Amino acid sequence: SIKGPSNLLYSAVVLDDESKEKLINSFTFPLDWQPVAHHMTIGFKEPVPDHLRNDIGKTVQLTVKEVGISRDAMAVKVLGYHSTNNIPHITLAIPKGGKPFKSNFITNWKPLEKRLFITGEVKEIYS
């Protein structure tokens, strides 16, 4: 498939397997929820910004500093890389039939006692 602006889904820091495991194992979520812990969105339907294009394919570190939950999603707030989201975050888990984007609406956040460090690769995801 041709990579064009029209089939760009999102740009993101996509977590490596180790970071994904670390995140999923560091938090407790309801048993019937599905773990996600896939990426931190840089831009939804947006490419990596011009001034960061050289980072594509590179590994970057993110700092996890808070955890949040609503009845629709559970997520962690992260620092360390550019994001167009009001709250740069990684969706940790969602209920059955839930949608990861619901993390954008979490309002109940709690600081972590100990910060976690995770890594991922800067990527653009196409349909």
Side-chain angles (χ1 to χ4, degrees):
S1 71
I2 301 161
K3 286 186 178 180
S6 62
N7 55 4
L8 173 68
L9 298 175
Y10 58 91
S11 52
V13 175
V14 178
L15 300 185
D16 50 54
D17 292 342
E18 198 181 327
S19 293
K20 186 176 174 156
E21 292 288 306
K22 189 197 253 183
L23 266 187
I24 290 168
N25 294 328
S26 298
F27 299 94
T28 311
F29 40 84
L31 275 179
D32 56 343
W33 284 31
Q34 298 163 306
V36 182
H38 182 260
H39 68 272
M40 179 208 78
T41 303
I42 295 168
F44 180 66
K45 295 199 170 161
E46 289 175 46
V48 172
D50 290 346
H51 68 288
L52 298 169
R53 303 281 319 153
N54 291 339
D55 289 351
I56 295 173
K58 288 188 183 153
T59 297
V60 294
Q61 180 176 275
L62 300 173
T63 305
V64 179
K65 58 176 195 124
E66 294 183 41
V67 61
I69 190 161
S70 68
R71 53 196 182 99
D72 298 316
M74 183 173 181
V76 289
K77 234 184 238 193
V78 293
L79 285 175
Y81 204 76
H82 172 80
S83 174
T84 56
N85 278 338
N86 289 340
I87 297 172
H89 66 275
I90 295 165
T91 302
L92 271 184
I94 51 172
K96 259 199 174 60
K99 299 266 187 278
F101 82 89
K102 298 274 189 163
S103 294
N104 288 304
F105 309 113
I106 294 174
T107 53
N108 180 13
W109 296 94
K110 290 184 178 58
L112 299 185
E113 284 168 28
K114 194 163 134 287
R115 294 195 163 187
L116 273 176
F117 298 98
I118 52 174
T119 50
E121 188 186 330
V122 177
K123 289 184 178 179
E124 290 179 339
I125 309 295
Y126 291 85
S127 56

